């Protein structure tokens, strides 16, 4: 199962284990995947004298992770190879108190404060690149909460079970039998959903307010830039973010970041975090800002979980989120056939067939751009007529490889488990449904600035953008906005980086002038 090279890598990973672990398998003698599972578990056990594998006969195919003879609350129903092999390794490491993914004390206390006895089940596909993030996050929670357990279920091996639950996207997380979440997610979002469902015990674990010179909300290109420029001025900086890298992590490839011919979104996000780590910046990940208020010159920022951060300067760089279709299959294939930025991702579909969902200006502009590189572009508009400016409509209609359908409702993104292969639509007038086979789907139904929590403090325009002047200042002294959350034109990574630097320099200038 594991080749010599991979076995050596696993041995290196497990070389520092301190506890003793058992991979306790319960498998039906007749199960067709029995041999595959036991071979994998024995290979993993062979990589450390701290790991053993036991086998009992049962009805299905599963194994639990035991630490020093005690159940960790982590179970796998399936063979965790493919992308989920990392989840198995991380489960062992995290159980031993190791791993860079272990959250800080404040988040651990939030998990411990969850009420009740919680049973979580995540249905995955071994070809899904988003599933491991969810599996590993929930495994971590199982280790932190004595009454919370989590099991990963391979939907392919347990097909009847998945069909009975009408699962159409992975990962799908069920909490005590009810769907809690579907699609890409991270530790913070999942924890917030569990808190909303189960509630939390009253705690005082948030601690005293934390004081800084500058608070940056957001850790995407604008937020990272703002934090780095502020830190270089010798200021004490806190960055509050749901995830380092922000929206850029959902971009497959980037070819228009000047001086870098090509970089993936994942790599750029990792580089942003690495650059932040090079400075004395306190990065608080998995934080969602819930409230902002001004008290004298200070800005008080409260996050989910009750933490408070105080500083005279607040830079809002929370970006924007692509409005989504919210149909089956969309979340599963983001980055694997479902895209949102034609400028960034369009070149990956050269000479292929794509669809653009949305007939407004952004949708028709995207179709025109894509028509120059794609073999065929299908535009799907929900309304009876396009919403784009007439000049754009006329230009699109002149392109021989653009086909436009109005009154078209998107029902489902169809794929083969690794990438999108088509889109299922319905004519709203006739009710006729059909499947359009293609290679990519660009969702262009607008951007939604992540500004709701700030609108009562700084105000927003009718699009939800925070209005700023040429220096990124908002009407509220000491509060600045940068990147896609602001009114700056052209939502591009390189522009967001520049705006973040500008906001930091404006805040520093105001500080030296005694304004904040």
């Amino acid at each position: 199962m594991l080749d010599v090279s991979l076995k050596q890598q696993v041995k290196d990973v497990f070389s520092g284990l301190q506890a003793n672990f058992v991979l306790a398998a319960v498998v039906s003698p007749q199960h067709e995947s029995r041999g595959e599972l036991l071979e994998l578990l024995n290979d993993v056990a062979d990589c450390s004298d701290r790991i053993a594998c036991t086998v009992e006969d049962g009805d299905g195919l599963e194994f639990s992770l035991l630490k020093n003879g005690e159940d960790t609350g982590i179970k796998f129903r399936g063979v965790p190879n493919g992308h989920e092999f990392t989840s198995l390794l991380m489960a062992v490491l995290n159980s031993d108190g190791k791993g860079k993914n272990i959250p800080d004390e404040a988040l651990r206390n939030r998990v411990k404060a969850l009420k009740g006895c919680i049973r979580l089940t995540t249905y995955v596909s071994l070809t899904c690149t988003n599933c491991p993030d969810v599996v590993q996050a929930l495994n971590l929670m199982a280790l932190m909460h004595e009454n919370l357990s989590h099991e990963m279920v391979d939907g392919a091996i347990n097909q009847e079970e998945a069909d009975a639950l009408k699962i159409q996207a992975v990962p799908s997380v069920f909490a005590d039998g009810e769907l809690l979440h579907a699609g890409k997610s991270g530790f913070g979002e999942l924890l917030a959903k569990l808190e909303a469902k189960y509630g939390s015990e009253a705690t005082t674990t948030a601690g005293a307010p934390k004081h800084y010179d500058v608070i940056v909300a957001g850790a995407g290109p604008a937020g990272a830039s703002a934090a780095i420029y502020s830190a270089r001025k010798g200021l004490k900086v806190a960055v509050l973010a749901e995830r380092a890298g922000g929206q850029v992590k959902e971009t497959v490839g980037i070819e228009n970041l000047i001086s870098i011919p090509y970089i993936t979104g994942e790599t750029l996000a990792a580089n942003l975090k690495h650059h932040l780590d090079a400075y004395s910046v306190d990065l608080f990940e998995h934080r969602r800002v819930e409230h902002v208020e001004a008290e004298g010159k200070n800005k008080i920022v409260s996050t989910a979980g009750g933490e408070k951060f105080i500083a005279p300067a607040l830079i809002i760089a929370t970006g924007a989120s692509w409005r989504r279709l919210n149909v089956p299959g969309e979340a599963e294939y983001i980055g694997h056939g479902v895209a949102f930025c034609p400028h960034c991702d369009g070149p990956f579909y050269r000479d292929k067939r794509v669809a653009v969902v949305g007939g407004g200006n952004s949708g028709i502009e995207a179709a025109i751009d894509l028509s120059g590189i794609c073999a065929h572009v299908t535009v799907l508009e929900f309304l009876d007529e396009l919403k784009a400016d007439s000049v754009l409509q006329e230009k699109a209609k002149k392109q021989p490889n653009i086909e436009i359908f109005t009154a078209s409702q998107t029902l489902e993104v169809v794929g083969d488990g690794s990438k999108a292969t088509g889109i299922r639509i319905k004519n709203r007038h006739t009710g006729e449904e059909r499947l359009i086979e293609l290679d990519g789907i660009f969702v262009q139904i607008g951007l939604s600035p992540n500004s709701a929590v700030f609108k009562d403090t700084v105000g927003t325009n009718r699009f939800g953008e925070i209005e700023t002047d040429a220096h990124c200042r908002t009407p509220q002294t000491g509060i600045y906005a940068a990147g896609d959350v602001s009114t700056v034109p052209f939502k591009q990574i390189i522009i967001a980086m520049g705006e973040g630097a500008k906001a930091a320099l404006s805040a520093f200038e105001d500080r030296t002038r005694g304004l904040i």
Side-chain angles (χ1 to χ4, degrees):
M1 176 70 73
L2 303 184
D3 60 32
V4 175
S5 175
L6 184 54
K7 265 194 171 183
Q8 186 57 54
Q9 293 179 49
V10 176
K11 287 180 181 180
D12 292 341
V13 168
F14 287 158
S15 61
L17 291 180
Q18 295 177 323
N20 294 312
F21 296 92
V22 174
L23 305 174
V26 179
V27 191
S28 167
Q30 287 77 40
H31 201 289
E32 61 182 3
S33 298
R34 177 187 174 97
E36 182 183 9
L37 175 64
L38 297 185
E39 182 181 359
L40 174 65
L41 297 185
N42 282 313
D43 280 355
V44 171
D46 287 342
C47 292
S48 173
D49 57 8
R50 292 282 187 178
I51 303 175
C53 175
T54 63
V55 186
E56 292 182 14
D57 289 344
D59 295 328
L61 181 98
E62 65 182 47
F63 70 94
S64 300
L65 177 63
L66 309 183
K67 175 184 176 182
N68 294 332
E70 300 292 330
D71 192 349
T72 62
I74 296 173
K75 179 185 292 185
F76 293 83
R77 283 204 282 133
V79 184
N81 50 27
H83 292 296
E84 289 301 338
F85 183 62
T86 302
S87 296
L88 170 56
L89 302 186
M90 291 306 299
V92 176
L93 281 178
N94 291 160
S95 297
D96 206 46
K98 298 178 174 62
K100 293 182 179 180
N101 62 330
I102 296 178
D104 56 55
E105 184 180 8
L107 286 173
R108 295 198 298 271
N109 286 334
R110 284 176 59 189
V111 174
K112 293 175 184 176
L114 289 168
K115 291 182 179 179
C117 187
I118 303 170
R119 299 289 176 262
L120 303 177
T121 305
T122 302
Y123 292 85
V124 306
S125 165
L126 299 182
T127 60
C128 170
T129 57
N130 295 326
C131 291
D133 289 341
V134 171
V135 171
Q136 291 165 33
L138 297 178
N139 282 347
L140 275 168
M141 293 185 200
L143 296 173
M144 297 171 192
H145 192 299
E146 61 180 6
N147 290 318
L148 186 153
S149 64
H150 175 243
E151 61 179 2
M152 180 220 81
V153 180
D154 181 353
I157 287 180
N158 300 277
Q159 188 67 57
E160 290 186 8
E161 183 177 332
D163 289 344
L165 292 169
K166 295 181 168 49
I167 293 173
Q168 295 179 301
V170 291
S172 286
V173 181
F174 285 77
D176 291 308
E178 295 183 357
L179 182 64
L180 179 78
H181 176 84
K184 186 181 181 79
S185 190
F187 192 99
E189 181 183 8
L190 293 166
L191 176 55
K193 289 189 174 184
L194 289 171
E195 289 172 330
K197 180 176 177 62
Y198 292 98
S200 297
E201 301 288 350
T203 65
T204 57
T205 55
K210 302 174 179 67
H211 291 262
Y212 290 87
D213 297 318
V214 178
I215 297 170
V216 179
S225 177
I228 289 167
Y229 266 73
S230 295
R232 286 177 61 84
K233 293 296 184 181
L235 302 179
K236 186 179 181 183
V237 183
V239 178
L240 314 178
E242 295 195 31
R243 56 178 176 169
Q247 181 79 6
V248 75
K249 292 191 73 171
E250 295 184 11
T251 303
V252 176
I254 301 159
E255 296 178 333
N256 56 357
L257 187 58
I258 307 306
S259 84
I260 302 175
Y262 175 82
I263 190 170
T264 66
E266 285 283 351
T267 301
L268 178 57
N271 288 349
L272 291 174
K273 188 175 186 299
H274 180 69
H275 203 166
L276 285 171
D277 290 341
Y279 292 87
S280 56
V281 172
D282 291 342
L283 173 60
F284 296 89
E285 281 196 271
H286 311 303
R287 282 355 188 247
R288 186 180 73 254
V289 176
E290 286 196 333
H291 183 68
V292 175
E293 61 180 312
E295 188 176 278
K297 286 188 175 182
N298 281 329
K299 315 304 178 294
I300 304 172
V301 180
S302 302
T303 64
E307 291 176 282
K308 290 186 183 296
F309 299 82
I310 300 175
L314 168 63
I315 299 174
I316 302 169
T318 45
S321 302
W322 293 103
R323 289 193 176 95
R324 299 189 178 183
L325 299 168
N326 293 319
V327 299
E330 179 188 30
E332 177 182 356
Y333 293 111
I334 289 175
H336 300 276
V338 175
F340 297 90
C341 180
H343 303 293
C344 299
D345 297 337
F348 295 98
Y349 296 90
R350 186 175 301 278
D351 299 325
K352 295 184 178 181
R353 300 177 67 86
V354 301
V356 174
V357 181
N361 283 346
S362 61
I364 299 304
E365 287 175 350
I368 294 169
D369 288 344
L370 291 167
S371 69
I373 55 177
C374 297
H376 188 271
V377 181
T378 301
V379 176
L380 303 170
E381 167 56 44
F382 181 83
L383 299 178
D384 292 343
E385 58 184 27
L386 299 179
K387 305 185 294 294
D389 295 340
S390 57
V391 64
L392 290 173
Q393 294 188 41
E394 290 303 316
K395 186 174 181 179
K397 290 173 182 176
K398 291 179 181 178
Q399 306 305 313
N401 60 341
I402 293 181
E403 192 174 16
I404 299 172
F405 296 95
T406 57
S408 298
Q409 178 182 355
T410 301
L411 301 178
E412 179 186 8
V413 173
V414 178
D416 62 7
S418 62
K419 65 182 184 302
T421 58
I423 187 168
R424 190 178 303 281
I425 64 170
K426 179 176 75 173
N427 184 298
R428 293 194 302 107
H429 297 312
T430 66
E432 177 188 0
E433 296 184 14
R434 64 191 181 98
L435 174 66
I436 302 175
E437 295 184 354
L438 37 75
D439 302 291
I441 300 155
F442 287 83
V443 181
Q444 293 289 296
I445 54 177
L447 277 169
S448 178
N450 300 321
S451 62
V453 72
F454 307 104
K455 66 179 181 180
D456 292 335
T457 306
V458 295
T460 57
N461 64 14
R462 65 190 183 93
F463 302 108
E465 300 168 323
I466 297 173
E467 296 194 16
T468 62
D469 64 14
H471 298 270
C472 296
R473 295 184 176 98
T474 72
Q476 176 71 50
T477 301
I479 300 184
Y480 313 82
D484 291 3
V485 74
S486 74
T487 50
V488 64
F490 310 117
K491 312 303 186 185
Q492 296 290 302
I493 292 171
I494 195 167
I495 293 174
M497 288 179 170
E499 291 294 299
K502 190 196 299 182
L505 295 173
S506 294
F508 183 75
E509 180 179 72
D510 289 348
R511 181 185 178 90
T512 59
R513 292 166 58 194
L515 298 178
I516 60 174

